[in-house]
């Protein structure tokens, strides 16, 4: 016969942090870990690593979360996901696996969609030395001969593939570090993903490359272009398009696990036409992961190994310790 404590432990192993918090009887240590774990599972990146009102979270867990945090002020330190997106993608891999085991397909598809939006910045990171930090980006894109963020003069021919929203976002990113925190946060909420898209276009197939690309040495440019093209192709796969049929998108249907598996199989097949993706996906068919090959694709785009994090698993482990 299951005891109440057995139920709490089962919830911890399922990463059901929200349910667990409601059942822990106000224990500050458990409540803090539950609130923290739920925040991370929900990918609430603006508040990663922040103290919880219900109690103290162990410092080592907070520091790990801060590696994926989006700074909420122009000069905030550390820079978190603006310094490197690799920790954030490692966390996304863990979240995808947990959502799959919990059969929460809408949340899984939302996590994959978030990953697709910022993949171009992951591709650019080795070249820029950061993950598109607006405070540092200008030195790489505001160079002689660059058209990045430069308005198109009336009557002049269009020589840049960026859309109007992308051009506006590119112009804003070059000055937003001088704005107050409210303006900085508004930029991150509404325009940072547009900058990611714009940089992706610069690298993956601009018809008239400007100095943003031509200033790079040929081997660097070739490598970056291949990784950015993979990022662009990933964003157009069937599994990312599922988002538009889920409540987090524009419709009211929630994909079933079988539909997610089918979409991922189609995505892998379409991506294999690209040499970089084909090499990354080789030998991943039998991976013990809900979307086999996803970590390999992220690693190929990043140009560095990215493996699933264990942050949420470790939070659950700490909770089990508290519940004993």
């Amino acid at each position: 016969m299951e005891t109440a404590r057995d139920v709490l432990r089962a919830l911890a192993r399922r990463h059901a942090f929200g349910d667990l918090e409601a059942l822990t009887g106000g224990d500050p240590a458990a409540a803090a870990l539950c609130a923290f774990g739920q925040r991370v599972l929900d990918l609430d990146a603006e508040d990663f690593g922040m103290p919880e009102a219900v109690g103290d979270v162990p410092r080592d867990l907070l520091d790990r979360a801060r590696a994926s945090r989006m700074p909420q002020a122009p000069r905030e330190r550390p820079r978190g996901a603006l310094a490197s997106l690799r920790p954030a993608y490692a966390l996304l891999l863990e979240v995808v696996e947990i959502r799959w085991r919990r059969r929460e397909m809408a949340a899984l598809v939302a996590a994959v969609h978030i990953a697709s939006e910022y993949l171009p910045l992951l591709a650019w990171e080795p070249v820029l030395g950061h993950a598109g930090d607006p405070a540092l980006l200008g030195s790489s894109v505001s160079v002689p001969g660059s058209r990045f963020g430069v308005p198109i003069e009336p009557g002049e021919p269009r020589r840049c593939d960026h859309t109007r929203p992308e051009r506006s976002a590119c112009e804003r990113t070059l000055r937003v570090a001088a704005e107050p925190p409210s303006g900085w946060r508004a930029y991150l909420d509404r325009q940072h993903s547009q900058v990611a898209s714009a940089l992706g276009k610069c690298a993956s197939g601009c018809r008239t490359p400007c100095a943003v690309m031509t200033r790079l040495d040929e081997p660097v440019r070739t490598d970056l272009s291949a990784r950015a093209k993979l990022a662009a192709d990933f964003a157009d796969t069937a599994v990312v398009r599922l988002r538009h049929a889920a409540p987090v998108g524009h419709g009211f249907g929630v994909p079933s696990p079988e539909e997610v598996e089918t979409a991922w199989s189609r995505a892998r097949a379409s991506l294999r036409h690209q040499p970089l993706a084909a090499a990354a996906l080789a030998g991943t068919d039998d991976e013990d992961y809900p979307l086999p090959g996803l970590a390999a694709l992220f690693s190929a785009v990043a140009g560095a190994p990215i493996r699933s994090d264990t942050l949420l698993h470790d939070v659950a482990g700490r909770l089990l310790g508290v519940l004993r």
Side-chain angles (χ1 to χ4, degrees):
M1 180 176 179
E2 281 190 329
T3 66
R5 194 170 296 277
D6 291 332
V7 172
L8 295 179
R9 289 172 178 165
L11 289 172
R13 293 188 183 97
R14 289 193 70 245
H15 305 90
F17 300 116
D19 295 335
L20 192 55
E21 185 177 5
L23 298 173
T24 51
D27 182 300
L33 284 167
C34 288
F36 172 76
Q38 191 62 48
R39 189 192 300 278
V40 175
L41 183 60
D42 289 340
L43 298 172
D44 186 7
E46 67 182 34
D47 291 326
F48 280 0
M50 298 299 288
E52 300 295 340
V54 290
D56 294 330
V57 178
R59 181 60 183 266
D60 63 310
L61 296 178
L62 286 174
D63 287 345
R64 288 171 64 185
R66 287 191 182 107
S68 300
R69 172 179 162 83
M70 273 293 183
Q72 296 300 290
R75 296 175 184 82
E76 181 180 310
R77 294 289 185 273
R79 300 304 279 171
L82 292 180
S84 175
L85 277 168
R86 293 172 192 173
Y89 276 83
L91 179 60
L92 281 164
L93 287 169
E94 186 182 19
V95 167
V96 165
E97 183 171 17
I98 290 171
R99 294 300 192 183
W100 175 266
R101 286 196 281 106
R102 289 166 58 99
R103 291 300 188 257
E104 295 170 345
M105 296 300 107
L108 182 152
V109 169
V112 173
H113 187 271
I114 290 170
S116 73
E117 284 198 311
Y118 293 98
L119 267 182
L121 293 180
L122 188 67
W124 269 92
E125 188 176 316
V127 177
L128 296 173
H130 55 84
D133 189 339
L136 302 173
L137 190 59
S139 63
S140 298
V141 298
S142 295
V143 293
S146 169
R147 293 191 290 274
F148 187 93
V150 177
I152 296 177
E153 296 294 333
E156 289 292 317
R158 179 178 172 181
R159 295 185 296 157
C160 179
D161 288 340
H162 294 168
T163 64
R164 182 171 295 179
E166 287 169 348
R167 290 199 303 274
S168 176
C170 290
E171 188 275 332
R172 178 89 181 276
T173 198
L174 298 176
R175 57 180 172 80
V176 72
E179 294 186 16
S182 58
W184 172 268
R185 290 190 293 270
Y187 160 81
L188 290 177
D189 287 343
R190 301 176 191 137
Q191 293 184 295
H192 193 55
S193 61
Q194 293 277 2
V195 172
S197 175
L199 282 169
K201 288 181 179 178
C202 291
S204 66
C206 179
R207 293 169 294 178
T208 55
C210 70
V212 170
M213 288 297 292
T214 59
R215 69 182 180 86
L216 302 175
D217 293 338
E218 181 61 32
V220 174
R221 187 163 66 245
T222 300
D223 176 65
L224 170 60
S225 294
R227 292 185 292 105
K229 182 65 165 58
L230 176 53
D233 288 352
F234 181 89
D236 195 38
T237 56
V239 72
V240 175
R241 290 197 298 271
L242 279 178
R243 194 231 185 202
H244 301 289
V248 291
H250 307 298
F252 293 97
V254 177
S256 67
E258 293 74 20
E259 287 173 321
V260 171
E261 286 181 318
T262 299
W264 182 241
S265 178
R266 290 171 55 198
R268 286 166 56 91
S270 65
L271 290 172
R272 275 197 165 102
H273 291 98
Q274 188 182 132
L276 182 61
L281 290 170
T284 64
D285 291 352
D286 298 324
E287 277 186 356
D288 184 21
Y289 186 79
L291 303 183
L294 184 62
L297 289 171
F298 288 170
S299 299
V301 171
I306 296 180
R307 299 179 181 87
S308 182
D309 204 344
T310 61
L311 177 57
L312 290 161
H313 175 77
D314 294 340
V315 172
R318 300 287 181 93
L319 271 168
L320 288 170
V322 169
L323 295 173
R324 291 190 188 101

